[in-house]
Amino acid sequence: MKLIQAFVECPETSIFRVIGSEDSDYSNWEVEPLTLDILMEEEGFYIVKAKNILPDGKVQDCYLDISLLERINDLVYFFDGANLRVDYSFNFNGDVICAVPIDCFGVYELFYSKINPSVGIDILKVGLTNSTRKSAIAEDLGYIFRDEKQYGDAAKMFQISVDEGPSSYFLYGELAACYMESGQTEKGKEYERLFAQNNEMH
């Protein structure tokens, strides 16, 4: 199925796997619609639903591409029902964030709109509820809450990630700091010790 055809015929589909991207015209790329709400940790190139949050607070639907396992995004895809505009996110007004939770570690900014952080937070919260594995999605939430200075919520999310398996031991340090900031000193000291132990080993 061609990309532009997929956007027309599968408006409810959140994730498309790209199976042919040789054509220089993006609208002719071959894609396969997937019946998933969460992008799983499987190597490949995907186009997924996204949100463009404008400076005035309005939110527009669009798409962006994701390369896994690295979880890298290059381009944003706007389709108005007839025409497809493809460009880098910094060439669009406002913030563009991924609207599909990803069960794979990567840069949390993919879900963080400084204009309206709650849009990405809500997307990730739904993903956290629906995903069998929690660690990567909880970590994304933890970093966004930390940046928003919601340290109690950040600690809860980082704790979920640490319990299941964090992306690195540096998360012990993040968790310690968030516990300290939210007044949970004993827990903060416990994770400071864990961070120090792991740091010595590395």
Side-chain angles (χ1 to χ4, degrees), residues 70-82:
E70 302 87 353
R71 211 174 100 167
I72 293 168
N73 159 245
D74 281 323
L75 296 167
V76 177
Y77 305 72
F78 265 93
F79 181 61
D80 63 7

Side-chain angles (χ1 to χ4, degrees), residues 128 134-143 154 156-158 160-161:
L128 190 67
K134 311 289 184 190
S135 190
I137 298 171
E139 190 167 309
D140 285 331
L141 273 165
Y143 280 116
K156 283 178 193 164
M157 292 301 118
F158 285 144
I160 290 169
S161 191

Side-chain angles (χ1 to χ4, degrees), residues 122-133:
D122 289 345
I123 288 163
L124 290 169
K125 277 182 173 176
V126 172
L128 190 67
T129 303
N130 295 338
S131 182
T132 48
R133 294 194 305 183

